Amino acid sequence: MAAPFDDRDGFIWMDGKLVPWRSAQAHVLTHALHYGSSVFEGVRVYGGQIFKLREHTLRLIKSAEWLGFTIPFTADQIDQACRDTVKAQNIVDGYLRPVAWRGSEMMGVAAQQSKIHLAVAAWEWPSYFSPEARAKGINMIISPWKRPAPDTAPVHAKAAGLYMICTLAKHQAEAQGAHDALMHDYRGFLAEATGANLFLIMDGKLHTPKPDCFLNGITRLTVMDLARARGIEVIERHIKPDELAQAQEVFLTGTAAEITPVGRIGELSYTPGRLTMQLSDDYMAATRQAVVAA
Ligand code: PMP
């Protein structure tokens, strides 16, 4: 097993400065640990350049607002913190994890006076799913867990608390020998995977669930643009689970997952096809273009 995440060399940016990796600590009576008052981002680094950095920074700021707190740094400062962290860690191809949370000044549900912290860590990180799983398409189960209704949680925030369902669903998938789980939403429509958005290819068109109760991924938006640039029609709508049987290709999108073909969902099987490969190539080209342009 790789070194645990709290016992590594290097630096983590925390509350305004780079600190030695092992000193980037939060107290056990931190509000975020007890009440889930934490938001975060997952960002990729390609060729030493941070892909879609400003989009991720703006979503982090917005996620905090959805949880009722303000990050005490501007978007420019957060972007710079990310660049400084990548530089300090000497990351060429890797992953960046900005996280903001309520501190330990108040212990209880109310936490208006708590200090807001911000940290950014970065590490080398290859593919989220193994190259073999990607080539064949990953194997998914349908989880009984549902994405919650918009009036039951701040569903558009990338908030730590919303991931407890994802962890349960992912563990359930892995216990059954699958790679990931597909969740329905609170109405029973198809929603998303535990860390990625869903796309179906039906008759040459791209169909994707309307993100009205889950994360509208930055990769999702990029892939929709890439598809339109190829003249592929993109349809955002509520998709019923039984429509999965009519899809010719299925794939997931996410910063970590990039474009990951799906080979199986429950009893249904798919073969990663031409359109998935085309969009995956276009996506990787977009990440490389960003490197050349920088
Ligand atoms: N849904 C969930 C639950 C996620 O964790 C992610 C990854 N951040 C996504 C969708 C995809 O979002 P993005 O493309 O912005 O990484």
Side-chain angles (χ1 to χ4, degrees), residues 228-249:
R228 290 190 191 106
R230 288 255 168 216
I232 301 166
E233 192 180 336
V234 181
I235 304 161
E236 289 185 85
R237 63 182 179 90
H238 292 136
I239 305 177
K240 297 197 195 88
D242 60 13
E243 295 187 61
L244 280 174
Q246 283 129 48
Q248 287 87 45
E249 298 174 47

Side-chain angles (χ1 to χ4, degrees), residues 118-175:
L118 175 68
V120 184
W123 56 90
E124 293 285 342
W125 205 34
S127 181
Y128 184 59
F129 294 105
S130 73
E132 303 80 59
R134 263 168 182 277
K136 281 203 302 191
I138 62 159
N139 183 0
M140 302 183 79
I141 62 157
I142 303 232
S143 172
W145 292 104
K146 306 242 185 310
R147 302 313 288 153
D151 58 355
T152 63
V155 293
H156 300 293
K158 194 165 166 64
L162 290 167
Y163 281 86
M164 69 184 174
I165 293 168
C166 301
T167 298
L168 287 165
K170 180 101 178 172
H171 285 183
Q172 198 171 24
E174 290 184 346

